[in-house]
Amino acid sequence: MTRATILLLLLLLLTLFFSSSSSSRCHDGDKKALLAFKDSFFSSSLDATWLESTDCCSWHEVLCDKATGRVNFLQFNNNFPPAVLLNGSIPAAVGDLSALEVLVFRSHPALVGPIPPQLTKLRKLYDLTIVGTGVSGPVPSFLSKLSSLQQLDLGRNSLSGAIPPSLGSLAGLTDIRLNDNQLTGTIPASLFSKMSKQYLAYLDLSGNKLTGQIPSSFGSVEFVYIYLSDNRLTGDASFLLGKSKNGPYRVNLTRNGFEFDLSKVEFPDRLGRLDISHNKIYGSIPDQITQLRDLLWLDVSYNKLCGKIPSGGSFPLFYDKYYAHNKCLCGEPLQPCK
Ligand SMILES: *[C@@H]1O[C@H](CO)[C@@H](O)[C@H](O)[C@H]1NC(C)=O
Ligand SMILES: *[C@@H]1O[C@H](CO)[C@@H](O)[C@H](O)[C@H]1NC(C)=O
């Protein structure tokens, strides 16, 4: 063998070694999709960091599955430097990252336009987070095609229109946050209806323009929290509570038009925070509330409550402002009862 052949053989061996140990290197199709994604933004700092000559699995916002080399996380959290400013709309090319499991856009005010239908190609996506952006248009009904979806967080955008009932067909979707948008219409009764009873639900619809009543089907859903504050909801909400329930731990119904008799409510044992202020709730505060050992925050102000504020046990007496502006509540920390 000549020296040249030996060198050639060595080179060949080296190439083989590197290509077999490169399972974390970027998948070709994924890289193509990411470069198309980058090119669709006007003036993005991605130009400087997403270089075609480098392994896309090493790019700051990208994570790859170690075993398959496929891009499975794409996260633009604009919370800490070095910040990437996304200026433009969500590129259709994101739909070509077919192994994607988590997609996050957080705090990108110049990210605008609607949620693109190409997202429905992401059949492995379990977390879709678009928070604090200029994204507008509806909460698309086609999101129900994301069959792996578990968490949908679309808070603090400019979304409008109604909440699509189709979201209720996703059995694994346990966490829905659509807070601080301009959503109208009623809350679909279908939400969480296909969810397995062993799961706990999370719902934040606060800061919208929702009307109508809370669907009675929510009475059989175990919530960890349910935030409906700052809407135009009406009717009864007492069925969200109940002594036999595991949850909810946190309930926030402030600034709506809820109207029910609080005297008849039994609070769940593990209730931690209850804010029912600024409604039309009547009756009195049940004594049973003094038995809640985890209660950290209670606000019943600005309602039509009457009677003596319960005391006893280790029940913390919250500041007077949390009982203020009711019809005739009395006793500590307000005026003594007559
Ligand atoms: C986004 O890009 C457009 C077009 O280049 C530009 O006019 C606009 O000022 C940019 N917006 C932000 C917030 O950078
Ligand atoms: C309920 O939500 C409002 C905002 O909508 C907030 O100001 C308030 O602190 C919340 N209450 C609790 C107990 O977290």
Side-chain angles (χ1 to χ4, degrees):
M1 273 196 276
T2 66
R3 203 183 271 180
T5 357
I6 294 176
L7 264 174
L8 246 162
L9 267 173
L10 251 172
L11 215 82
L12 195 81
L13 274 172
L14 273 173
T15 322
L16 272 174
F17 174 75
F18 276 109
S19 54
S20 62
S21 69
S22 65
S23 58
S24 75
R25 275 189 56 204
C26 194
H27 176 268
D28 279 344
D30 288 350
K31 188 170 202 169
K32 212 169 142 230
L34 287 171
L35 290 172
F37 178 98
K38 179 185 81 168
D39 288 343
S40 81
F41 289 105
F42 294 119
S43 58
S44 121
S45 31
L46 290 178
D47 287 341
T49 54
W50 285 19
L51 301 173
E52 195 162 357
S53 57
T54 58
D55 175 7
C56 79
C57 296
S58 71
W59 296 347
H60 193 258
E61 296 76 14
V62 179
L63 282 178
C64 295
D65 183 291
K66 286 250 162 32
T68 62
R70 300 296 309 273
V71 171
N72 59 352
F73 280 50
L74 185 59
Q75 292 175 289
F76 293 92
N77 283 303
N78 205 6
N79 295 334
F80 47 88
V84 167
L85 177 75
L86 295 178
N87 180 345
S89 52
I90 299 175
V94 79
D96 296 330
L97 294 165
S98 58
L100 207 60
E101 294 169 36
V102 173
L103 178 61
V104 177
F105 298 100
R106 195 185 293 277
S107 306
H108 287 276
L111 188 69
V112 293
I115 298 172
Q118 288 81 3
L119 282 187
T120 56
K121 292 193 272 177
L122 304 176
R123 295 303 162 89
K124 291 188 173 171
L125 198 72
Y126 65 80
D127 175 356
L128 177 60
T129 298
I130 305 172
V131 170
T133 76
V135 167
S136 59
V139 175
S141 173
F142 60 66
L143 292 179
S144 64
K145 293 191 182 143
L146 293 170
S147 48
S148 302
L149 204 62
Q150 295 171 15
Q151 179 178 322
L152 178 65
D153 189 351
L154 303 178
R156 296 190 286 111
N157 296 301
S158 298
L159 299 167
S160 55
I163 301 171
S166 63
L167 291 181
S169 66
L170 293 170
L173 183 61
T174 58
D175 188 338
I176 302 177
R177 304 179 216 173
L178 306 174
N179 57 289
D180 302 295
N181 283 288
Q182 284 123 44
L183 302 177
T184 50
T186 57
I187 303 173
S190 58
L191 296 187
F192 307 113
S193 61
K194 293 280 193 301
M195 191 182 84
S196 159
K197 294 291 171 223
Q198 81 220 31
Y199 291 145
L200 298 172
Y202 301 75
L203 182 65
D204 188 352
L205 300 177
S206 55
N208 283 291
K209 296 170 185 166
L210 300 170
T211 50
Q213 308 206 2
I214 300 174
S216 55
S217 55
F218 281 16
S220 55
V221 177
E222 297 282 7
F223 286 100
V224 175
Y225 64 65
I226 176 162
Y227 299 156
L228 302 174
S229 56
D230 295 287
N231 277 289
R232 296 164 191 173
L233 299 164
T234 53
D236 191 3
S238 62
F239 59 86
L240 293 175
L241 304 164
K243 204 168 158 44
S244 63
K245 308 194 81 174
N246 284 321
Y249 303 98
R250 296 181 176 199
V251 179
N252 197 335
L253 306 177
T254 186
R255 296 179 206 277
N256 279 285
F258 291 118
E259 201 166 4
F260 58 89
D261 186 351
L262 192 65
S263 325
K264 294 178 186 148
V265 169
E266 281 196 301
F267 300 99
D269 284 335
R270 285 188 271 180
L271 190 65
R273 286 167 181 251
L274 178 65
D275 190 343
I276 54 173
S277 61
H278 294 270
N279 281 288
K280 298 174 190 165
I281 297 161
Y282 53 92
S284 57
I285 306 174
D287 280 334
Q288 185 240 343
I289 204 163
T290 63
Q291 291 159 23
L292 306 180
R293 281 177 305 160
D294 299 332
L295 195 66
L296 289 172
W297 192 335
L298 175 69
D299 191 343
V300 301
S301 62
Y302 292 87
N303 277 295
K304 296 177 175 171
L305 296 168
C306 229
K308 188 175 180 304
I309 295 168
S311 60
S314 55
F315 182 64
L317 277 172
F318 302 94
Y319 295 119
D320 52 358
K321 69 171 182 179
Y322 296 128
Y323 300 99
H325 295 275
N326 273 286
K327 198 168 147 201
C328 46
L329 275 183
C330 62
E332 285 280 358
L334 301 179
Q335 316 276 21
C337 299
K338 288 181 190 133

